[in-house]
Amino acid sequence: MGPVVTVLLGFVLGAMVGAALALVLAWGHRARVRMAEPPPVVDPEVPEVLDAFRQPVVVAGPHDELLYANAPARTIGLVRGTRIGIAEVLEAVRAARRTGEGADREVMLGAADDAPSRQLQVRIRPLTREAVLVVGDDRSALIRVDESKRDLVANISHELKTPVGALQVLAETVQEAADEPEAVRHFAGRMLVESTRLGELVQQIIELGRLQSDDPLGDAAPVDIDEIVQTAAGRAREACQARRISFSIAGDEGLRVIGDRHQLRVALSNLVENAISYSDPGARVAVTVRDVDEDGDRWVDIAVTDNGIGIGEEDQERIFERFYRVDYARSRENGGTGLGLSIVKHVAVAHGGGIRLWSRPGRGSTFTMRLPALVDPVEHNDGTGHDDMVGRGDGAGRREGVA
C-alpha cells in the first residue's frame, strides 16, 4: 500500500469517526434537553381549589396516569385505582390529547341491584404538556326529579278527573231533575260530597308541593312534641265522636325535636286521620310518644296505633306511594286522597328520621314516625359527677290518659 493510499484511507476513516461522534453528541444534547423538561405536574394551589368542587374532577397525565383526582371522582366511580375507570371517558381523554380538541360525553355508570344507575355528563379539555382535564356532572338527581314531576302531574291529572267528572254528571242530573225537589236535594248532597273531596285533594296537592320545595331544617326551630300531639288530637276529636272511636295519648312528655312545626303537625294529623278512617265504629286509636336511646343516638318515636282493618304484606311496600290506596272504595267513602302517607314519609325523612309500619289484616296497624331528639345538657345529681344528656325539657315524665 503506497503512502498516498494510506493517507486517503486515514482521511476517510477520520471523517467517518467524526461524523459518528457528531451524531452521538447531537443525540446526547437532545436527550439532555428532554431530561431538563419537567414532567407535567399540578400546581400546589390547584388541588385546594378543585377540592372545593362538588363535581368529580380529574387531571390525567401524558400516559393516562392520575395527576389529580378529588374525592367525588373516586366516590362516583370515575376513577378506579390509578387510572380513569370508565373506558369511554378514557378513550375521549386520549383523543383530546392526540387532537388538542375538547369533547363532551354522556355516560351511564352501573349500580348495584338495589341502587339506581347514575347519568354523568363529562367535559374533557386538553391542557399543556399533554395533560387532560376531566370534569363530571352527576345529573341523576335532576333526572329523577324531572321523572317524579312528570309522574306527579300524570297522577294528579288522573285523580282530578274523577271528582270533576262526577260533579259534571251530577250538575247535569240536577238540571234535568229541576222539577223534582227530592231528586235535586239528593244529587245536590252528592255534589257537596264530591266538591269537598275535590277541595281536600287540591289542598293536599298544594301541601305536598310546598313540602317538597321547603327545607324543614333551613330555618330550624325547637318543636314541642306535646303541642304537636295535642293539635292532632284536637283535629281528630270530632271524627272520633262521630264514629264512637276511643282516642288516647300515652308515653313520655316534654320531648322536643328540631324542625318545622307546621310540617310535623300535618304529618301526625295525617296518621291519626288515617287510623280513624280505617277503623270500625267503637274501635280504639292511640298515640304513644317514646324517648329512645339507640346506640348512643337519641330519638323521639311517635306511634299511632289502631285496631282497624289492617294492611296486607303485599300492600305494605307501596303504602307510602303517592295516590296509592289499599281499599279504594273505602278511601273514596272516607274522602281519602292517597297522599296522606306520602306526605308523612316526606316530612319524616326531611327531618332526618323515617317512618315504620307494623300491620296485620284484621288486627290493626301501627305507624311509627321517628325523629332525631333535640338533646339538652341537664345535670343529674346521681353522685357520679357527670352530666347526662337528655332530650326533654322541664317537667318530663310519663303520661297515660284519653284526649
Side-chain angles (χ1 to χ4, degrees):
M1 183 181 295
V4 175
V5 174
T6 302
V7 171
L8 289 175
L9 183 58
F11 177 78
V12 171
L13 291 174
M16 292 175 63
V17 171
L21 181 61
L23 288 173
V24 170
L25 292 174
W27 177 85
H29 175 72
R30 288 195 296 269
R32 287 193 300 272
V33 170
R34 285 197 301 269
M35 292 177 65
E37 293 180 356
V41 296
V42 176
D43 190 285
E45 294 182 354
V46 171
E48 295 183 8
V49 175
L50 297 182
D51 280 341
F53 281 48
R54 293 184 177 179
Q55 296 96 333
V57 180
V58 175
V59 179
H63 304 292
D64 298 334
E65 73 275 18
L66 292 182
L67 302 180
Y68 169 82
N70 64 358
R74 298 182 182 279
T75 302
I76 204 171
L78 181 58
V79 168
R80 291 193 182 94
T82 60
R83 291 289 187 270
I84 292 175
I86 304 173
E88 184 178 349
V89 176
L90 182 58
E91 289 300 321
V93 166
R94 291 169 176 171
R97 185 186 300 117
R98 185 173 57 254
T99 63
E101 297 180 357
D104 295 339
R105 293 286 187 274
E106 293 278 351
V107 297
M108 294 296 297
L109 301 182
D113 295 338
D114 58 347
S117 60
R118 293 176 178 270
Q119 181 166 334
L120 194 66
Q121 183 178 30
V122 182
R123 295 177 176 84
I124 302 161
R125 299 294 182 267
L127 303 175
T128 59
R129 288 180 287 179
E130 297 187 327
V132 179
L133 173 68
V134 180
V135 180
D137 184 14
D138 187 1
R139 303 182 61 82
S140 307
L142 292 176
I143 292 172
R144 285 195 294 270
V145 168
D146 289 341
E147 291 175 350
S148 177
K149 287 180 179 179
R150 288 195 297 270
D151 291 343
L152 179 60
V153 170
N155 289 336
I156 288 173
S157 300
H158 174 74
E159 292 293 329
L160 289 176
K161 284 180 181 178
T162 302
V164 170
L167 285 172
Q168 182 178 357
V169 171
L170 289 169
E172 293 172 352
T173 305
V174 168
Q175 188 177 32
E176 293 174 358
D179 297 332
E180 303 177 30
E182 288 297 326
V184 169
R185 279 194 294 271
H186 171 73
F187 291 116
R190 293 298 307 163
M191 290 177 67
L192 180 61
V193 171
E194 292 296 335
S195 62
T196 300
R197 179 171 177 267
L198 178 60
E200 291 176 352
L201 177 59
V202 171
Q203 180 61 39
Q204 287 210 316
I205 291 172
I206 294 172
E207 188 69 40
L208 182 60
R210 192 179 75 83
L211 291 175
Q212 291 180 333
S213 63
D214 285 351
D215 179 5
L217 302 182
D219 188 18
V223 179
D224 293 325
I225 295 300
D226 293 343
E227 187 268 337
I228 299 299
V229 172
Q230 291 299 329
T231 299
R235 293 178 177 179
R237 186 170 291 113
E238 183 176 344
C240 287
Q241 292 175 351
R243 296 173 60 84
R244 295 181 289 107
I245 289 177
S246 170
F247 185 89
S248 63
I249 301 172
D252 298 320
E253 294 180 305
L255 302 180
R256 296 190 298 167
V257 299
I258 195 79
D260 186 288
R261 178 175 284 100
H262 172 72
Q263 291 192 17
L264 294 172
R265 284 174 177 170
V266 169
L268 185 56
S269 294
N270 284 349
L271 288 178
V272 172
E273 289 170 7
N274 264 18
I276 295 171
S277 298
Y278 288 92
S279 294
D280 294 326
R284 299 184 303 275
V285 173
V287 177
T288 307
V289 181
R290 291 282 184 264
D291 179 16
V292 178
D293 187 338
E294 188 173 282
D295 298 329
D297 293 326
R298 301 297 293 272
W299 302 92
V300 176
D301 280 4
I302 309 173
V304 178
T305 303
D306 65 70
N307 58 348
I309 62 175
I311 303 169
E313 291 186 7
E314 66 279 5
D315 294 309
Q316 292 183 22
E317 294 182 359
R318 301 190 59 192
I319 194 66
F320 296 102
E321 294 178 10
R322 288 176 301 208
F323 298 111
Y324 185 78
R325 301 175 178 90
V326 175
D327 187 339
Y328 190 84
R330 185 159 185 162
S331 180
R332 281 187 55 81
E333 178 185 347
N334 296 327
T337 63
L339 285 175
L341 292 178
S342 176
I343 290 175
V344 172
K345 182 177 180 180
H346 178 86
V347 171
V349 172
H351 279 75
I355 183 77
R356 303 192 309 271
L357 167 63
W358 176 93
S359 187
R360 294 290 184 274
R363 296 178 57 186
S365 305
T366 297
F367 288 86
T368 303
M369 183 166 58
R370 169 166 287 191
L371 304 168
L374 175 59
V375 181
D376 297 328
V378 177
E379 183 175 355
H380 287 269
N381 186 14
D382 57 1
T384 64
H386 297 290
D387 290 347
D388 190 13
M389 305 292 286
V390 300
R392 59 183 73 173
D394 295 336
R398 305 285 294 180
R399 61 177 164 201
E400 299 288 345
V402 178

